[in-house]
Amino acid sequence: VQGAHSSTPRLLRPVRARLPRPRRSPPMLRILTYNVHGCVGGDGDYDVLRVAAVIRRSQCDIACLQEVEVNGEPRRLRSWSNKHADSQPELLAKATGLVSISFAGPLCAYTGEYARTMCEDPFDEVLIRDKECTSGFGNAVLSKFDII
């Protein structure tokens, strides 16, 4: 007579291993910081679309831009800049699809035309205050999210 504890092996049901569910990684926020140098490249060309292409290639959600210019009339804001009458933050926003814009141009001035003497540093500038503030030089934030 076999007792309750038989030495005969029983067939066991396969046990399903409970693996932990893979966790979803939180969504990434891509932030770009970029000194655009007034949209003037190392070759001296003024090209807003070239700067926009760099921003697009980064696939950023937010772009923090330095040395951005806004001109209400054709002016050079810096000695190395080109004359232009446009709003770089607006042009860059349209060209990149980052449609929310915040621009802070604490410098309402432009570069004055003056004769350089032989003893001046080639990077010296004479800035003329723009009392109407139609020209601005500063920082811009472009974002695909609303800026409040």
Side-chain angles (χ1 to χ4, degrees), residues 4 10 24 29 32-33 38-39 50 76 80 103 136 147:
R10 287 194 238 165
R24 289 186 184 172
L29 180 67
L32 169 75
T33 179
C39 293
R50 178 170 50 183
R76 280 179 29 172
W80 41 261
F103 175 71
I147 298 174

Side-chain angles (χ1 to χ4, degrees), residues 127-139:
L127 294 176
I128 300 171
R129 176 167 285 157
D130 181 7
K131 293 179 183 175
E132 290 83 35
C133 210
T134 58
S135 298
F137 178 81
N139 302 314

Side-chain angles (χ1 to χ4, degrees), residues 72-148:
E73 56 187 80
R75 288 187 172 155
R76 280 179 29 172
L77 289 187
R78 305 300 305 268
S79 62
W80 41 261
S81 181
N82 293 13
K83 281 189 178 183
H84 61 93
D86 54 28
S87 171
Q88 291 175 356
E90 290 177 13
L91 293 174
L92 290 168
K94 287 177 187 173
T96 61
L98 301 173
V99 294
S100 288
I101 306 169
S102 176
F103 175 71
L107 181 61
C108 289
Y110 55 94
T111 302
E113 303 294 331
Y114 69 101
R116 295 184 184 273
T117 64
M118 295 302 285
C119 61
E120 289 181 334
D121 185 321
F123 295 105
D124 281 349
E125 298 175 311
V126 172
L127 294 176
I128 300 171
R129 176 167 285 157
D130 181 7
K131 293 179 183 175
E132 290 83 35
C133 210
T134 58
S135 298
F137 178 81
N139 302 314
V141 176
L142 308 179
S143 175
K144 70 179 191 179
F145 307 107
D146 290 337
I147 298 174
I148 53 173

